[in-house]
Every structure is written in structure tokens, then in C-alpha cells.
Amino acid sequence: MTLDEVMEKLQSMGTEQTKRTFIRHGAKEPLFGVKVGDMKKLVKDIKQDQELAKALYETGNSDGMYLAGLTVNPKQMSKELLQHWAHQASWYMLAEYTVASVAAESPYAMELAAEWMEAEEEMIAVCGWSAYTNYLSITPDDKLDREQIRSLLDRVAETIHSERNRVRYVMNGFVISVGSYVPALFQEAVLTAERIGKVHVDVGQTACKVPTATEYIHKVEAMSRVGKKRKTCIC
């Protein structure tokens, strides 16, 4: 499929209701308002197409940019292109999902996560924390830096409630990810979750809720899924 064909298809799949919902969540124009579930039907036709994915992201259309993350090969992403994508992510779905998940499966996952987490720009910092969170979910434990993760848990416990809005959300997700995917650090993640308690995030005029880390981790434990890694974090 060509870029024009894909964009025409996305436009036909969009609805005003979904568009309004995305805008309430923080999406910026232009966008068509395509549900992610519907968008994934296109992925079956496109599969992985690196050049098309790059072109989709460059449209600046939120739906096209999200689809780019579903059809790109993260192993073939350059560090420079990932940096570019991060700086173009205008709202949290692109930062927390598209950029973060692609970065997590790229050769530069930890390098960029560490850099982005220190960024002053909120959406860049969000990319960093979410990329690290995703990396934990797909990476064997013997390849993880446990001391670094412990240090980040301490950082979350000490700073989360004074952090920027969406950074608070992804920091909370990081604690959940440690408790869910790294058995050796399960207890430390639980203790961190207990320390931070309820995390307040302004989700605007939406029904979204911030998961309580302790409850979420214990649900994973109750299902005997602690340490069960995902095959991919791109979704």
C-alpha cells in the first residue's frame, strides 16, 4: 500500500466520536479518530514496511503516527530517528505507546531511556520512563541491571508526587512493571508501591483512572504471572 492509500483508508475508518474522545485525552490535530483495534486490521495488510512507517510518522497525523509504530521494524531504527520520533510525539499515546514501545525493542533501548528520563520536556521524559517500563516486560532478567532498577524505584518513591503530570503516570507504571516482570525485585517493587500509595494524575474530562500499584501487582501475583515476559511490547 502507498502512503496515500493508507491515509485514505485511515480517514475512512475515523469517526467524529473517537476523534473527540482522543482530543479530550490530549490528542492534537490533525487526526481522523481511528480506534486502535480498527487500525490493527490495516497492520495485517501492511505488515512491516520501514519506509512506509517513516512516511506515516512524518505526516504529523496522530493516527498515521500511531500506525507507524505498529508497522515499523524497531531493530532497524536508528538512534537519530528515534530521537526525532520522540520530539515529534505531541501527546501521551504517541509518547507512552508508539515511541516508547518501538524504542524498547530497538538496539538503543537503555541508552535512550536513560537520556529521555532526564529531559525537561514532559513528553520526552514520558518516553523514557515508558521505554524502560516496556523493556522490563520483554527482556530476560539476566540482561537487566538490577541495581539501576533499584535506584529508579528509590527515585520514584522520593519524587513521584512532585513530578509532572504524565511523568507521575508512567513512574507508577514503572513500579507496576518491576513488580510484574522482575521476580527478584518483586518485594522491593511492592514496598515502593506501598510508599507511593495513590498517585494523582489529571486525566482531563475522561473516565480514565490511575491504577494503584499495590493492587495491580498483587493481582498479577494472584494470577501466578509474576515474571511472565511478553513477546512484544508493541500494541
Side-chain angles (χ1 to χ4, degrees), residues 13-34:
M13 297 168 74
T15 67
E16 283 301 316
Q17 181 179 354
T18 301
K19 181 176 179 178
R20 287 194 296 271
T21 298
F22 284 164
I23 289 174
R24 284 200 303 273
H25 280 259
K28 306 292 191 298
E29 294 272 14
L31 73 160
F32 301 128
V34 184

Side-chain angles (χ1 to χ4, degrees), residues 3-14:
L3 175 63
D4 288 342
E5 289 172 338
V6 174
M7 293 303 290
E8 287 176 9
K9 186 65 175 176
L10 283 173
Q11 185 171 13
S12 71
M13 297 168 74

Side-chain angles (χ1 to χ4, degrees), residues 3-235:
L3 175 63
D4 288 342
E5 289 172 338
V6 174
M7 293 303 290
E8 287 176 9
K9 186 65 175 176
L10 283 173
Q11 185 171 13
S12 71
M13 297 168 74
T15 67
E16 283 301 316
Q17 181 179 354
T18 301
K19 181 176 179 178
R20 287 194 296 271
T21 298
F22 284 164
I23 289 174
R24 284 200 303 273
H25 280 259
K28 306 292 191 298
E29 294 272 14
L31 73 160
F32 301 128
V34 184
K35 294 180 180 178
V36 175
D38 292 337
M39 190 182 295
K40 288 181 178 179
K41 298 172 184 176
L42 274 177
V43 177
K44 296 179 181 178
D45 296 325
I46 300 172
K47 298 182 173 60
Q48 282 190 338
D49 187 325
Q50 205 73 358
E51 294 308 311
L52 178 58
K54 292 178 185 178
L56 282 167
Y57 203 86
E58 289 306 307
T59 64
N61 178 289
S62 183
D63 300 300
M65 295 168 80
Y66 197 97
L67 182 58
L70 298 177
T71 53
V72 76
N73 182 341
K75 302 299 183 187
Q76 295 180 9
M77 291 288 282
S78 68
K79 183 168 65 173
E80 292 73 23
L81 186 56
L82 286 165
Q83 294 276 30
H84 174 67
W85 278 30
H87 282 88
Q88 297 303 310
S90 59
W91 69 297
Y92 78 82
M93 270 190 68
L94 296 176
E96 293 176 24
Y97 295 92
T98 301
V99 177
S101 60
V102 172
E105 295 195 16
S106 79
Y108 311 101
M110 287 296 87
E111 178 182 351
L112 289 176
E115 176 184 332
W116 290 343
M117 283 189 288
E118 305 304 324
E120 293 184 5
E121 186 177 339
E122 182 178 5
M123 284 300 109
I124 302 294
V126 163
C127 287
W129 283 96
S130 191
Y132 207 128
T133 295
N134 279 289
Y135 184 78
L136 295 177
S137 75
I138 60 172
T139 305
D141 286 0
D142 60 0
K143 294 185 178 180
L144 298 175
D145 185 338
R146 294 184 188 177
E147 289 308 311
Q148 183 182 57
I149 298 170
R150 286 190 177 99
S151 176
L152 290 172
L153 286 174
D154 288 339
R155 175 174 169 180
V156 170
E158 293 169 3
T159 67
I160 188 168
H161 296 296
S162 61
E163 263 292 356
R164 292 148 290 179
N165 194 55
R166 290 305 302 190
V167 178
R168 294 197 296 274
Y169 189 90
V170 291
M171 278 183 160
N172 188 63
F174 174 80
V175 176
I176 291 172
S177 189
V178 176
S180 300
Y181 296 110
V182 190
L185 298 177
F186 176 83
Q187 290 298 336
E188 288 167 74
V190 170
L191 289 173
T192 302
E194 290 173 349
R195 286 179 64 188
I196 66 177
K198 182 67 176 176
V199 177
H200 298 282
V201 176
D202 181 2
V203 295
Q205 297 177 339
T206 73
C208 291
K209 296 181 180 179
V210 182
T212 302
T214 48
E215 294 177 2
Y216 198 108
I217 293 170
H218 285 309
K219 283 181 181 178
V220 174
E221 181 187 26
M223 293 186 291
S224 300
R225 294 184 63 85
V226 173
K228 187 173 180 62
K229 303 286 185 174
R230 296 190 290 171
K231 293 182 180 179
T232 180
C233 57
I234 294 175
C235 60

